[in-house]
Amino acid sequence: MTLGYDLYWSFRSPYSYLVTPRLVELERDYDVAATVRVVYPIAVRQPDFFTSNDPLWLSYFMRDIFRSAEFVGLPFRWASPDPVKMDFATRTYPREQPHIHRLTHLGVAATERGKGLAFLDEVSRLIWGGSVTDWHLGDHLARAADRAGLDLAEMDAAIDADPDHHVAVVTANQDAQRVGGHYGVPLMVFEGEPFFGQDRFDQLKWRMAQRGLARR
């Protein structure tokens, strides 16, 4: 029996990037399938979220993300450009965002074409892996989509033809995410139990093993 879980994921989250290769490997090696549910990052949903954080939050986060990447053996550099435009001096986010809405809606389109997890893996490596500067220029995204078995131009055209649909899917994902038990990403919800954070992968797999997780 194939085990299923919901994956709530954001293109602005480096922790989402860090967990994705393990989720890809899990699906490759075991009879399990993710239902990918991309969401807008918290900086878009709640632009004032970070302004009230203790200053230590950011310094710890920056230390932890590099350490976490080293621990799981993945290359990491802060995205250039950041998928969400931010004023670092004030820790505020302008309403106009040139990248994150397109990325998120492409995630919806990829999922609807049956390639959601593969697309998240390829694009997050592009954005966060440190080998590419200006990932949004040239054919970087098109090549990442192609590696996932998708046509970027076709997906962009579908989004342009019906943007409201893609927004509605993201909104529904965000509503379901809170029902699942958390507002952050990455969030894996298996049989109604939330596992928040890339460092909860082993617990997710452990719980699946209790429910009969089988190798392919």
Side-chain angles (χ1 to χ4, degrees):
M1 180 183 69
T2 300
L3 300 181
Y5 69 99
D6 289 332
L7 171 63
Y8 298 94
W9 196 100
S10 162
F11 284 94
R12 207 282 174 106
S13 164
Y15 290 118
S16 289
Y17 154 64
L18 294 184
V19 79
T20 303
R22 282 171 284 168
L23 297 177
V24 170
E25 291 176 1
L26 180 69
E27 197 160 304
R28 180 195 67 200
D29 297 340
Y30 293 88
D31 193 8
V32 61
T35 297
V36 174
R37 309 194 72 165
V38 291
V39 298
Y40 300 127
I42 199 73
V44 172
R45 285 184 274 168
Q46 300 178 40
D48 61 346
F49 181 84
F50 296 100
T51 59
S52 59
N53 283 343
D54 190 293
L56 285 175
W57 182 91
L58 182 60
S59 62
Y60 180 84
F61 168 79
M62 295 306 293
R63 178 190 294 268
D64 184 63
I65 191 60
F66 282 94
R67 174 179 60 201
S68 296
E70 183 180 2
F71 183 74
V72 299
L74 286 176
F76 177 77
R77 184 185 68 188
W78 193 261
S80 178
D82 192 322
V84 175
K85 186 178 179 181
M86 175 185 179
D87 183 335
F88 275 92
T90 62
R91 289 194 288 172
T92 59
Y93 298 86
R95 183 174 296 276
E96 295 299 320
Q97 292 288 339
H99 306 305
I100 193 60
H101 292 97
R102 182 192 182 201
L103 286 171
T104 307
H105 299 164
L106 283 170
V108 171
T111 299
E112 293 181 339
R113 287 154 180 77
K115 303 285 187 177
L117 191 58
F119 185 75
L120 303 188
D121 187 37
E122 292 293 346
V123 175
S124 63
R125 289 176 187 271
L126 174 68
I127 294 172
W128 297 105
S131 63
V132 174
T133 300
D134 292 333
W135 54 264
H136 62 306
L137 299 179
D139 63 351
H140 294 306
L141 275 173
R143 287 163 49 191
D146 183 69
R147 290 192 295 270
L150 294 160
D151 183 326
L152 181 69
E154 183 274 326
M155 291 194 294
D156 275 331
I159 294 166
D160 289 343
D162 193 359
D164 290 345
H165 164 72
H166 295 80
V167 172
V169 171
V170 178
T171 300
N173 289 346
Q174 292 170 174
D175 291 342
Q177 180 183 22
R178 295 194 68 86
V179 173
H182 207 279
Y183 55 84
V185 292
L187 176 68
M188 294 75 71
V189 180
F190 174 62
E191 294 187 345
E193 184 176 5
F195 297 83
F196 166 60
Q198 64 91 23
D199 53 350
R200 291 294 177 266
F201 172 81
D202 288 337
Q203 289 185 355
L204 170 68
K205 187 176 177 182
W206 164 76
R207 182 67 81 203
M208 288 178 170
Q210 295 178 329
R211 301 293 188 267
L213 181 66
R215 285 192 172 272
R216 293 192 184 278

